[in-house]
Amino acid sequence: MKGLNQLNKGLLRSYLSLVLLGLCYLLLIVPFTGYMHSKPFIEKLGHLPRVEVFQFVAADQKQLVSASLVMKVMMYFGGLMEQNQVKYKLPPDYPAMSRIIHGSVKLDPYNMDAYYLAQAFLVWDIGAYKIANDLLAYGMKYRTWDWYLPFFAGFNSAYFLKDYESAAKYYQMAADLSGQPMFSTLAGRYMHKSGQTVLALSYLSAMEKSEKNKAIKKSYSIRLQALQAVRTIEVARDSYLEATGRQPASVEELARSGHLVKIPADPYGGKFFFEVEGRVSTTSEFTFGKPGK
Amino acid sequence: MFNIMSITLKGIFRDRVFHGILVVAFILPLIPVISTLSMRQVTELSITLSLSLISFILLLLAVFLGGTALWKDIERRYTYSVLSLPITRSSYLLGRFFGNALFMLITATLLGCVAAVVVWLVASGSPPDRQVVWMNFFLAVFFDAMKYILLVAVAVLFSTVSSSFFLPIFGTISAFLVGSSSQQVYDYVNSQPAQTLSLLTRKTASSLYYVLPNFSAFDLKVNAIYGLPLSLKGLFLTVVYGLVYGGIVLALSSVIFAKKEMK
């Protein structure tokens, strides 16, 4: 009887401590989750070992490690899209993102997600066109069947690098691989300066439509909004030029003269202005987290 | 030998380690959900995850079952009673090995079939740019099983060298890591940038390459995931390599085991 009592007491004590600890866990989990959630992205992206280390440790799981590295960057990028970007304190760690992506294609040079994600942020957010095209060229050596890579590289060459010779070469590759003759005429069609925005708009709306990933889709749609705003200002600028025979001094002047109904907002939080040669630009440089905005 | 083999097989199915490892296989049905995280290659990601999981499970089985099979027998003093029976030490050793090998093949076949259903489901939901090459998929699973059977042979060799628990387990894990990257090291020491290394380093690395098992040859994941063509000659050479290397390891184990003193 005494032994039974002791056993019951022991059991009761165990239950009690379980309940107490459970309560402690509940109390702790809210601030803990809050802390983890608010942790700066740079810490979350973390510092990764060199790719050679990965190559050894990954053993026969290189494709898995490569995919998880891309996911890491993807989550980070998705997090950036969710944040209120204009109030964003730390600038996004693009060099780290680029480093991780480059490491992941060393592990699995066939990983399309890596090239796709790199194209999304390398060219549009940091203007690393050359790095992006080198990465795409590396991918083309492996993904010999994929028309997306030369399509991306062709666009980068034409739109950003103004290297029409390479653009034509890449578009031809994309045309040969996809069997879509559209690409072969793309390079030549929009190369006039006034056509640049139209080229970007058609590229971005195609990309945005086909995108399933929410974060990437959002990044494209913001970019698209910005370029649509640029296009609106360009159209107003051209009609102003036609009417007055001179370039407008500022975007505000377009609004005052009635050529622009309303000055469109820059979704990146910047202000539109004319560059010396009349090109429409913005103080945000079409990216979030630019200092001195 | 066949008796020992069937006893081994039955023993494994009753082993708690096996049950524990089998729980990992319950991740397989979750793969379609995880695969949707991919932006451009959902099906490819599902193949990556399936093959990785199978490979991981087989690795655990090879290390923990292969590495402990002999050790447990010696530790529990089963070996005395078994070896007093009219069987040679080598048939006992080989029986243990083939029981494990057969078990690995059965597990790989079962997991491969479940994974194929999972990948097929994903592929019908979001069709990939390139068709899944099923032949490559099943070959990848089969070659993975062969690789881990070879690893079991290595584990058996370690078990005959040492009666402790640590050498078979950690030795096998190290052999797996080194064997998976020996090709990379060999390619590097024979490349242009490595010519600055001392001759001794290069020669040592090359000799180790010939001595250590080359597991990377059995890794056909990339061919299965992206539907890349396989070389028939390469596959044939790999199978023969596996048989010959495994044979050497087992012969060596038999010699050591026969000479081993059992207290």
Side-chain angles (χ1 to χ4, degrees):
Chain A
M1 199 64 196
K2 199 178 165 195
L4 202 69
N5 259 348
Q6 226 153 22
L7 192 75
N8 276 342
K9 258 188 205 162
L11 201 66
L12 198 70
R13 225 175 284 149
S14 304
Y15 276 131
L16 210 65
S17 25
L18 195 67
V19 171
L20 273 176
L21 284 172
L23 278 174
C24 284
Y25 180 76
L26 283 180
L27 284 175
L28 182 74
I29 194 68
V30 176
F32 179 73
T33 313
Y35 157 71
M36 285 310 284
H37 190 68
S38 68
K39 230 177 161 182
F41 282 116
I42 191 151
E43 278 181 45
K44 279 192 191 167
L45 204 53
H47 297 284
L48 293 164
R50 289 168 62 94
V51 71
E52 288 82 3
V53 179
F54 272 126
Q55 273 174 331
F56 178 72
V57 180
D60 66 339
Q61 304 277 16
K62 293 189 177 64
Q63 291 80 24
L64 179 74
V65 176
S66 169
S68 65
L69 286 178
V70 175
M71 284 304 149
K72 202 174 165 72
V73 180
M74 178 66 241
M75 301 283 173
Y76 176 81
F77 193 64
L80 291 183
M81 288 297 121
E82 275 169 24
Q83 293 279 321
N84 186 350
Q85 296 96 339
V86 183
K87 285 181 187 162
Y88 197 59
K89 282 182 200 135
L90 273 171
D93 192 0
Y94 291 121
M97 286 166 74
S98 172
R99 246 193 339 268
I100 298 174
I101 292 287
H102 277 84
S104 85
V105 296
K106 280 267 169 59
L107 289 168
D108 178 6
Y110 295 94
N111 190 342
M112 183 54 190
D113 281 343
Y115 300 110
Y116 187 69
L117 187 58
Q119 171 69 7
F121 75 86
L122 275 181
V123 294
W124 294 105
D125 291 289
I126 37 178
Y129 322 120
K130 183 79 178 59
I131 296 176
N133 267 17
D134 287 347
L135 188 71
L136 290 169
Y138 171 78
M140 279 177 233
K141 281 194 286 184
Y142 296 92
R143 296 183 63 89
T144 47
W145 63 87
D146 194 341
W147 61 267
Y148 269 106
L149 300 179
F151 169 58
F152 292 157
F155 176 77
N156 294 347
S157 301
Y159 184 69
F160 294 112
L161 295 164
K162 318 266 183 268
D163 176 359
Y164 303 125
E165 205 179 311
S166 303
K169 190 185 82 192
Y170 284 132
Y171 276 125
Q172 194 51 50
M173 266 174 84
D176 292 343
L177 289 170
S178 68
Q180 295 177 29
M182 177 189 89
F183 293 123
S184 38
T185 49
L186 250 182
R189 189 176 287 170
Y190 300 106
M191 286 314 130
H192 309 290
K193 202 168 183 187
S194 58
Q196 291 283 307
T197 314
V198 180
L199 171 67
L201 278 173
S202 71
Y203 168 85
L204 282 170
S205 53
M207 296 301 283
E208 198 240 6
K209 265 190 210 119
S210 69
E211 187 49 64
K212 278 179 283 176
N213 182 288
K214 271 189 196 158
I216 303 265
K217 199 179 178 79
K218 190 166 175 189
S219 105
Y220 278 132
S221 81
I222 293 172
R223 184 84 47 196
L224 203 55
Q225 271 175 42
L227 280 176
Q228 270 153 354
V230 169
R231 186 68 200 136
T232 312
I233 298 171
E234 279 178 359
V235 171
R237 176 200 63 196
D238 292 348
S239 80
Y240 182 96
L241 184 70
E242 211 170 283
T244 64
R246 64 178 184 87
Q247 290 278 357
S250 67
V251 180
E252 288 74 18
E253 195 182 321
L254 284 178
R256 274 198 303 275
S257 62
H259 288 89
L260 194 61
V261 184
K262 185 179 158 242
I263 298 174
D266 174 9
Y268 293 99
K271 231 179 116 203
F272 290 111
F273 65 95
F274 288 117
E275 283 182 14
V276 184
E277 67 273 29
R279 208 157 68 93
V280 181
S281 195
T282 164
T283 51
S284 69
E285 295 178 32
F286 300 107
T287 180
F288 291 116
K290 266 275 175 228
K293 206 155 47 181
Chain B
M1 190 175 100
F2 287 106
N3 278 339
I4 302 280
M5 204 170 131
S6 70
I7 291 168
T8 308
L9 207 57
K10 275 183 209 152
I12 291 172
F13 283 115
R14 262 183 259 131
D15 199 318
R16 260 184 243 140
V17 176
F18 165 62
H19 297 154
I21 292 170
L22 206 64
V23 172
V24 183
F26 282 101
I27 302 175
L28 265 177
L30 293 178
I31 285 175
V33 184
I34 309 171
S35 302
T36 54
L37 286 173
S38 170
M39 292 162 280
R40 287 278 151 171
Q41 43 176 32
V42 176
T43 308
E44 286 88 337
L45 185 62
S46 74
I47 304 177
T48 306
L49 294 172
S50 309
L51 292 179
S52 285
L53 189 65
I54 294 176
S55 188
F56 182 63
I57 293 173
L58 292 180
L59 170 68
L60 290 180
L61 291 172
V63 171
F64 288 103
L65 295 178
T68 57
L70 279 186
W71 169 76
K72 263 190 200 159
D73 285 357
I74 298 170
E75 188 74 14
R76 292 177 188 164
R77 297 170 191 275
Y78 287 170
T79 24
Y80 306 116
S81 33
V82 177
L83 291 179
S84 60
L85 298 172
I87 49 163
T88 60
R89 282 191 182 191
S90 338
S91 6
Y92 163 74
L93 185 98
L94 291 179
R96 274 294 189 209
F97 167 76
F98 283 114
N100 270 308
L102 187 63
F103 166 74
M104 300 290 276
L105 268 182
I106 295 171
T107 314
T109 311
L110 282 176
L111 289 176
C113 291
V114 178
V117 174
V118 168
V119 171
W120 178 76
L121 280 175
V122 174
S124 41
S126 37
D129 292 342
R130 272 158 79 87
Q131 287 299 312
V132 179
V133 185
W134 291 106
M135 182 70 174
N136 288 10
F137 180 84
F138 287 111
L139 275 175
V141 176
F142 174 69
F143 272 76
D144 235 19
M146 278 213 342
K147 173 170 74 179
Y148 290 111
I149 290 172
L150 191 60
L151 191 66
V152 171
V154 174
V156 167
L157 175 68
F158 280 126
S159 304
T160 57
V161 174
S162 155
S163 319
S164 89
F165 169 78
F166 293 100
L167 183 71
I169 298 285
F170 292 104
T172 309
I173 294 174
S174 312
F176 170 70
L177 284 177
V178 176
S180 299
S181 56
S182 65
Q183 184 67 46
Q184 229 166 306
V185 175
Y186 179 79
D187 290 343
Y188 174 70
V189 293
N190 286 304
S191 68
Q192 203 53 44
Q195 297 313 309
T196 49
L197 294 172
S198 77
L199 192 67
L200 184 71
T201 318
R202 278 187 284 143
K203 286 281 172 226
T204 316
S206 299
S207 341
L208 277 176
Y209 168 78
Y210 294 115
V211 176
L212 293 167
N214 188 339
F215 291 128
S216 53
F218 296 89
D219 189 4
L220 306 181
K221 283 197 195 69
V222 84
N223 304 75
I225 299 166
Y226 301 102
L228 307 179
L230 284 161
S231 130
L232 211 60
K233 187 184 159 205
L235 293 181
F236 173 74
L237 282 176
T238 307
V239 172
V240 177
Y241 170 84
L243 291 176
V244 172
Y245 195 96
I248 294 173
V249 172
L250 286 175
L252 198 64
S253 310
S254 294
V255 172
I256 298 173
F257 195 59
K259 288 189 174 174
K260 199 178 173 76
E261 267 188 46
M262 303 264 185
K263 272 181 274 169

